[in-house]
Amino acid sequence: DTASTAYNKKTDDYSDVFWKLWPQGMEDDLEKLNMKITLENVKNKQNYKRAIRVVTRPEYIIFHALLIASAGHIHQGERLWKDTRGNHKKKRRGLLNDVDFGRYIKWWRFKQIKFLSHS
């Protein structure tokens, strides 16, 4: 029981350090991003384009976690998501397993959030 309490305290400390390193309040960043989305949706409506869904807090955290996680992989960009279009080229099997960030967020949604958060 003491070991599990120590483990929980240790993981809580890492989580706390992560949030203290965040440049400003995450809620402020998320609110700014969703304001951009709202403004973009007004423009899209005028041009008869599809509306963009607002970003939820869990989705925002996953987006940033994947940005950090991508630094640890040799592949970049779209190659971090498995190809679901059926364009499977014959590949040589390597020592490392393929990465699939699609388990956490779709590629198109990741690009959407990235574009809007950096514009």
Side-chain angles (χ1 to χ4, degrees), residues 61-102:
I61 292 170
I62 288 171
F63 169 77
H64 280 87
L66 293 180
L67 283 176
I68 295 167
S70 66
H73 294 284
I74 193 167
H75 296 302
Q76 297 176 349
E78 192 173 354
R79 294 182 69 193
L80 293 168
W81 279 260
K82 283 197 178 189
D83 188 3
T84 58
R85 296 171 295 198
N87 301 334
H88 300 288
K89 295 178 182 175
K90 189 173 182 179
K91 289 194 307 187
R92 211 176 268 197
R93 186 146 173 101
L95 295 174
L96 301 174
N97 291 331
D98 286 339
V99 178
D100 184 17
F101 283 6

Side-chain angles (χ1 to χ4, degrees), residues 26-82:
M26 184 183 63
E27 299 300 329
D28 294 338
D29 291 343
L30 184 58
E31 187 176 328
K32 288 176 188 175
L33 176 61
N34 283 330
M35 286 299 290
K36 284 183 186 178
I37 290 173
T38 303
L39 294 173
E40 192 70 24
N41 282 339
V42 170
K43 292 179 196 174
N44 288 350
K45 189 173 184 176
Q46 292 171 348
N47 296 325
Y48 303 104
K49 291 183 180 177
R50 183 178 293 190
I52 300 168
R53 191 178 70 225
V54 295
V55 179
T56 63
R57 187 174 192 276
E59 194 173 34
Y60 194 68
I61 292 170
I62 288 171
F63 169 77
H64 280 87
L66 293 180
L67 283 176
I68 295 167
S70 66
H73 294 284
I74 193 167
H75 296 302
Q76 297 176 349
E78 192 173 354
R79 294 182 69 193
L80 293 168
W81 279 260
K82 283 197 178 189

